[in-house]
Amino acid sequence: VIKVILILIFLILALSFIARPVHAESIIFEDNFNDNDVSDWTVPRNGCYFNNDPATWQVNNGVYGISINGGNCVTETIPASIAIPSDLPYSVEVDMTMTQSIAMDRNFVFKYLDSQNWYGILTLGNIVYIHKVVDGTEYFLQNWVSNYNFTDNGTYTFKVKYFTNDKIEVYINGLYLNTAIDTPPFFESTKAGLQASAGGIPLSEVHF
């Protein structure tokens, strides 16, 4: 399941003429895959394989996922209709099942321009990273890493809040995990989506 929420900020002037911010949320995209329809989703990049055959994103029984058995690859699937304004804070929520074992790459992208420019959450074992790629160059924000006690075959709700002052907050299962401050270089975001990868551990299977 993936949900993108726009945090709309309205200023209300009190009688004392002091501005007080009031926050409201508006869902601009949501897909729980219950209808098994992913016709709105595109796959801009896929160099991943399963048993030497190209791995494919598939939806079955209300879950969307992929199995990889090849290593050294990244693939994304992005909803074509999503458009996130660049001048407003937003959040991305993803329900992710770590099928079989936590000792595999698990990912999603919360700020996505193209395959050479994106921000994502990457988990491997009990470690959570914020991964950033700009013009093909990889960054880990301020060496930002956190730990979380994941379990094999567990399903977890991730929430990432991206603020216009470049602050990033991460939550898992409704609990605050950590904050990172983004630094240049930047790019404007228009989308968010799902991602899968495999590296030194050539296997990965994940369902959303």
Side-chain angles (χ1 to χ4, degrees):
V1 176
I2 181 170
K3 181 187 295 184
V4 179
I5 302 172
L6 205 60
I7 304 172
L8 304 177
I9 301 178
F10 302 94
L11 294 181
I12 296 178
L13 294 179
L15 291 179
S16 59
F17 298 101
I18 298 175
R20 180 178 59 186
V22 176
H23 298 269
E25 294 185 341
S26 174
I27 297 174
I28 62 172
F29 179 84
E30 183 174 15
D31 199 339
N32 59 21
F33 307 117
N34 285 346
D35 57 4
N36 290 325
D37 180 10
V38 290
S39 59
D40 184 47
W41 290 73
T42 63
V43 180
R45 169 175 58 168
N46 187 3
C48 295
Y49 291 82
F50 179 74
N51 291 333
N52 296 319
D53 291 322
T56 56
W57 289 91
Q58 297 182 344
V59 58
N60 292 294
N61 299 317
V63 295
Y64 192 29
I66 191 170
S67 295
I68 301 169
N69 184 1
N72 296 315
C73 70
V74 181
T75 179
E76 293 100 12
T77 179
I78 307 294
S81 63
I82 192 172
I84 303 172
S86 61
D87 58 345
L88 289 175
Y90 65 93
S91 65
V92 176
E93 297 180 13
V94 173
D95 290 342
M96 181 165 59
T97 301
M98 299 181 178
T99 310
Q100 300 185 37
S101 169
I102 65 171
M104 301 178 181
D105 287 358
R106 273 28 186 270
N107 329 56
F108 65 93
V109 285
F110 59 87
K111 186 176 183 181
Y112 186 86
L113 183 63
D114 54 42
S115 62
Q116 298 298 302
N117 297 274
W118 52 269
Y119 291 60
I121 293 294
L122 166 66
T123 74
L124 178 60
N126 288 313
I127 302 177
V128 183
Y129 304 88
I130 295 181
H131 200 178
K132 174 181 178 179
V133 175
V134 179
D135 293 331
T137 299
E138 298 184 4
Y139 303 83
F140 286 94
L141 295 185
Q142 299 177 335
N143 295 319
W144 186 95
V145 296
S146 289
N147 291 290
Y148 191 88
N149 188 27
F150 298 110
T151 59
D152 296 347
N153 295 304
T155 297
Y156 299 91
T157 298
F158 291 80
K159 183 173 184 177
V160 177
K161 293 182 177 181
Y162 192 89
F163 297 85
T164 53
N165 61 355
D166 306 316
K167 181 175 70 173
I168 301 169
E169 293 180 352
V170 179
Y171 300 77
I172 300 178
N173 290 345
L175 300 177
Y176 169 78
L177 183 65
N178 210 334
T179 296
I181 303 299
D182 195 9
T183 57
F186 302 122
F187 62 85
E188 292 187 357
S189 171
T190 59
K191 298 182 181 296
L194 308 177
Q195 189 180 69
S197 67
I201 299 173
L203 306 177
S204 184
E205 181 176 339
V206 62
H207 297 113
F208 298 95

